[in-house]
Structure formats: C-alpha cells, structure tokens
Amino acid sequence: MVYVEQTIPVDELAAIAVDVAQEAAAHVRRRRPELFGPGLSGTAPSADAPPAWTEPTEAAASTESAEAVVSTKSTETDPVTVADTETERLVRERLRRARPDDDILGEEDGGTRAVPSGVRWVVDPIDGTVNFMYGIPAYAVSVAAQVGGRSVAGAVVDVARGIVYGATRGGGAWMSDGTGARTELRCNPVERTELALVATGFGYAAGRRRAQGRIVAELLPRVRDIRRVGAAALDLCMVASGAVDAHYEHGLSPWDWAAGGLIAAEAGAVVITPPPDSRADEGHVTVAVAPGIADEFLALLDELGAREPIA
C-alpha cells in the first residue's frame, strides 16, 4: 500500500478537484453551442446549474469569428479553442482562491517544468478538443493534485455524459452520475490478452502517427479489438470502470494522465506513466491495464517495441 504523508490534506484536495472540475465542465457544456452551433454538445444544464462564468475582462459572446474560436498548437491538426483557454482560466482562478500557495500546471497557460516539492495542480481544461469541436460527445475536464510529481487526488468529468470520476491515493476510485451517489470502480477481471478491449490514441505529427500505426497493425490481431475514443483522460477512466481492459498511448503530457492515471491505479490497474517533468514531444508511453492481463499485455507491448518512446 502507498501511504501519503499525514500533513497532506488529501480529502480536501480531492473535494477541491471535484468541485472545480464540475464547474469547469458546466462552462464547457454551455460554451459549445455558443461557439459551434447546435449539435451533440452534451447534456443540457439543469435548472440549478451554477451561473455562467465569464472572463474577468470580457463577457462570453456567441458571435466570435472562426479565427477567434479555433487556433492551432503543435501542428495544423492540433487545435485549441477559446473554450480551452477560458476554461483553464476559470480553473486557475478557482484553485488560487482555494489554495493560493500551490503551483499550477495547465495545458494552455503552462507552468514550470520543474516538479515542486509541495502541491502542484495539473489541469487539462478540455481533453478531447477535436471531439469538442466536431460535436462528438467524448471530451473531459481533468484536475489533479500532485505532491512531488505523484498524483494524490484527482477528478475527471465526462462533460457530455455528466459523469464524474475521482480518486485519492490509497483511498480508492469511484464514479458518480452527478446525483451524489458514488460507485466504487474496479477493473475488469479479464485474464487473457487475446480477449482484451484496448484503447489507444495517436499524436499529431505524421512521423509519430506512422510509428503508432505500425504498432496498432501488429497489435490488432492479438487482442479482442481496438478503440480510439480521442480523450486520454477518459480512456484511463474507462480502464478503471471496466469499459475497456487496457489503454496505451505515446506522447501524453502530465495534464493528460495526472488524474486519469490515479483513477485507473486506484481501481486496481497496473499503471505506467511518463516522468512528471516530461512533455508530449518526448514520446513516452502511458499504460493502464487490468491486473489479470498486466504481465502478458506488457510483454506483448515489449515484443512490439511499444514501450519505447516515439518522438
């Protein structure tokens, strides 16, 4: 068993993560139809939903130009929307209000690469931005608290389905449909890799995609099937809930795995994550796999060269 120092208020950090992630998810849910029009924008906000959050210096508007709504990052196929940046600012504001002395690392507004000794919040405002843009209902808000580079509390909110996943280190993992009732999460009791449903994802650079495609081509005949959801945080939570049996992906950054990796581990998965100071361009692999097939699945990845970095 992994123990957390008693001076770290893990339950408090977990409660903050859940509250902030849920508020951020509500903002994302409201903004999608404003930015992209009607479509599969997720569940409608309830009558008692919190009031809409707006930028401190500019009101949310429904008339943004296409150029203002979407820009790109690493490649032309790697988008970021105004909702990503708005939502991260919301999260940072709420975290600073609750824990003003903590560090924050976010996908959009960054943070120090060095791992602090105290609490660091790791934030992905919208994991699955391409899905968000296209109206595919598989995108999430991820908020985790780390100490010394290890996640100790985290929450992932499936925005479209309104499902909250959470965990604390040593305290187990759970999911909730938003009513307050929590269901404990445990991985599937699968025992044969050939029967495993495996989730994965792909990078945005063409060279990495080619290498990842070769691995998938060799892996596919040796497992039940492959799923590509398009949001790593949800993939990791799906391992925890038993919706898939394993997940592997190259090139994730800490905000992609910080909360979901903890949730999967606390549900019993064998989890391998990149170094906490790494970034996507280094190409390290992230793995989460149900314990009954962990040895066999990891050996298969080794056989395929899939545990080596893909830069």
Side-chain angles (χ1 to χ4, degrees), residues 116-151:
S117 58
V119 175
R120 175 175 75 171
W121 294 92
V122 184
V123 177
D124 195 339
I126 304 178
D127 183 42
T129 298
V130 173
N131 290 345
F132 173 72
M133 289 170 52
Y134 278 77
I136 299 170
Y139 44 92
V141 175
S142 176
V143 179
Q146 293 187 329
V147 177
R150 302 187 69 192
S151 298

Side-chain angles (χ1 to χ4, degrees), residues 41-241:
S41 57
T43 56
S46 64
D48 58 352
W53 181 88
T54 57
E55 294 268 17
T57 57
E58 57 184 276
S62 59
T63 58
E64 288 95 344
S65 67
E67 292 80 5
V69 168
V70 181
S71 57
T72 59
K73 295 187 288 187
S74 62
T75 71
E76 289 184 339
T77 57
D78 183 11
V80 58
T81 73
V82 67
D84 291 83
T85 54
E86 285 177 359
T87 305
E88 184 164 321
R89 288 171 191 152
L90 181 159
V91 171
R92 286 175 178 269
E93 177 186 302
R94 299 297 188 261
L95 292 176
R96 289 194 182 103
R97 185 183 302 173
R99 303 261 314 173
D101 297 326
D102 293 349
D103 284 281
I104 301 175
L105 172 66
E107 179 174 13
E108 309 308 336
D109 290 337
T112 179
R113 193 179 185 104
V115 177
S117 58
V119 175
R120 175 175 75 171
W121 294 92
V122 184
V123 177
D124 195 339
I126 304 178
D127 183 42
T129 298
V130 173
N131 290 345
F132 173 72
M133 289 170 52
Y134 278 77
I136 299 170
Y139 44 92
V141 175
S142 176
V143 179
Q146 293 187 329
V147 177
R150 302 187 69 192
S151 298
V152 299
V156 173
V157 179
D158 181 331
V159 177
R161 295 198 298 160
I163 293 175
V164 183
Y165 300 91
T168 55
R169 182 164 293 279
W174 52 270
M175 64 180 291
S176 170
D177 62 2
T179 62
R182 294 183 175 185
T183 301
E184 181 182 1
L185 294 177
R186 299 303 299 173
C187 298
N188 278 337
V190 59
E191 295 184 349
R192 295 164 58 194
T193 293
E194 63 191 21
L195 297 179
L197 184 60
V198 179
T200 192
F202 306 103
Y204 290 101
R208 180 178 287 170
R209 283 177 179 247
R210 277 191 289 271
Q212 291 171 320
R214 286 193 296 270
I215 292 169
V216 166
E218 295 183 56
L219 179 65
L220 185 55
R222 301 176 68 174
V223 297
R224 182 189 295 274
D225 209 345
I226 299 288
R227 292 292 180 267
R228 198 281 202 256
V229 172
L234 291 181
D235 285 332
L236 291 162
C237 291
M238 288 165 63
V239 175
S241 69

